Amino acid sequence: MLSPSQRLIHIPTGRPLQVTKVDADTITMVTLDDVWPHPKTGKPWGGSLWVVEHCSMYQYKVVGDDDPQMCLW
């Protein structure tokens, strides 16, 4: 079972994502490869929001923070 703040890799594209919300039917994630610090506040800014159904989770791989694929994010 997925939980918020878990990190994933989208297998077809190799994009890194972080789970933000898990609902009964869907999982909401944000991309990590297009996030940068806001010029004035320094808080993370940008990213794309992905909402996917549970049945499509075969396209994702759960990775840990120490995984080499996540070393840049």
Side-chain angles (χ1 to χ4, degrees), residues 7-11 57-63 67 69:
R7 293 184 176 201
L8 309 167
I9 295 289
H10 183 237
I11 296 168
M57 288 310 295
Y58 69 92
Q59 297 181 19
Y60 300 85
K61 178 176 89 168
V62 176
V63 294
D67 189 289
Q69 289 180 298

Side-chain angles (χ1 to χ4, degrees), residues 12-72:
T13 62
R15 292 191 76 179
L17 301 125
Q18 186 166 5
V19 176
T20 58
K21 183 178 174 186
V22 179
D23 290 325
D25 298 336
T26 60
I27 299 168
T28 305
M29 301 175 270
V30 64
T31 56
L32 299 175
D33 59 348
D34 56 352
V35 175
W36 59 93
H38 188 277
K40 292 183 180 177
T41 65
K43 293 181 180 180
W45 194 37
S48 300
L49 193 65
W50 291 15
V51 180
V52 298
E53 294 180 340
H54 285 273
C55 63
S56 67
M57 288 310 295
Y58 69 92
Q59 297 181 19
Y60 300 85
K61 178 176 89 168
V62 176
V63 294
D65 290 336
D66 58 345
D67 189 289
Q69 289 180 298
M70 298 304 282
C71 68
L72 299 175

